[in-house]
Amino acid sequence: ALQEKIDARNGDLVRMRSKTGAQVQALTHMKEKLQHVRKENERVVRELATLAEESDKKGDHMRRLKAERDRYKKENERMQAASNTVDVPVLLDDYRYLKQKSAHLRQKTARLRRMCTEAQTIKASRTPRSGTNSKTPAGGGDTPKTT
């Protein structure tokens, strides 16, 4: 009976040792995993700090750009208010019409000047020269005499 008790206790002891060994292995694995997770966490914290710094820089840049945009927008509004006639379609159409009419009149003026010059050239060629019979007194014509 005593031997059976000793054998039972030895069996219990073997089971306890194998259980303890398994628990030690599990704890060792967990410890290694915890170390790995801590290193990974440190890396991610550093990366997060870098990203936060970049985000702050880009945020500052964005605020400057928005302020600049707002300045341009206000300046544009001020300029539009100062020249409020530019946006009225009727006035724009009238401006286009007058511009076309002005160009047409310039062309017409240039054509009339050419015609006038041609007429004066023809008149000058028909005017008798000195030494020929002429109805106009000598030196009385408006065109210069050619010698």
Side-chain angles (χ1 to χ4, degrees):
L2 187 59
Q3 187 63 33
E4 288 176 14
K5 284 186 179 183
I6 292 175
D7 287 340
R9 294 277 181 185
N10 281 341
D12 288 342
L13 187 60
V14 168
R15 279 194 309 272
M16 292 285 247
R17 282 185 181 158
S18 69
K19 231 182 200 183
T20 305
Q23 287 177 348
V24 167
Q25 286 178 351
L27 286 175
T28 303
H29 175 71
M30 292 291 213
K31 197 175 184 180
E32 289 173 356
K33 188 172 183 177
L34 179 63
Q35 287 175 350
H36 174 70
V37 168
R38 282 184 179 159
K39 286 180 183 178
E40 181 69 16
N41 190 32
E42 288 173 5
R43 185 190 65 77
V44 169
V45 166
R46 284 192 305 272
E47 184 178 339
L48 179 63
T50 303
L51 289 174
E53 185 178 329
E54 288 178 19
S55 177
D56 289 344
K57 287 179 184 177
K58 289 183 180 184
D60 290 342
H61 183 67
M62 182 65 75
R63 281 186 284 284
R64 283 192 301 272
L65 288 175
K66 284 183 179 180
E68 186 177 356
R69 178 202 61 192
D70 291 341
R71 275 195 316 273
Y72 285 132
K73 192 173 182 180
K74 285 179 184 177
E75 182 180 350
N76 189 23
E77 288 170 357
R78 181 186 56 78
M79 290 170 65
Q80 284 183 353
S83 64
N84 57 4
T85 59
V86 173
D87 294 343
V88 180
V90 173
L91 293 177
L92 289 172
D93 291 341
D94 187 49
Y95 175 75
R96 283 188 208 103
Y97 169 75
L98 290 175
K99 191 174 179 182
Q100 289 174 351
K101 187 175 179 180
S102 175
H104 174 71
L105 289 174
R106 281 192 193 100
Q107 290 173 352
K108 187 174 180 179
T109 303
R111 186 171 36 87
L112 289 173
R113 282 187 180 148
R114 281 192 309 272
M115 289 173 61
C116 184
T117 304
E118 289 173 7
Q120 287 176 348
T121 305
I122 291 171
K123 182 180 176 186
S125 68
R126 288 185 184 167
T127 303
R129 294 196 174 92
S130 62
T132 62
N133 283 338
S134 165
K135 294 181 183 175
T136 60
D142 354 26
T143 59
K145 294 181 183 179
T146 57
T147 54

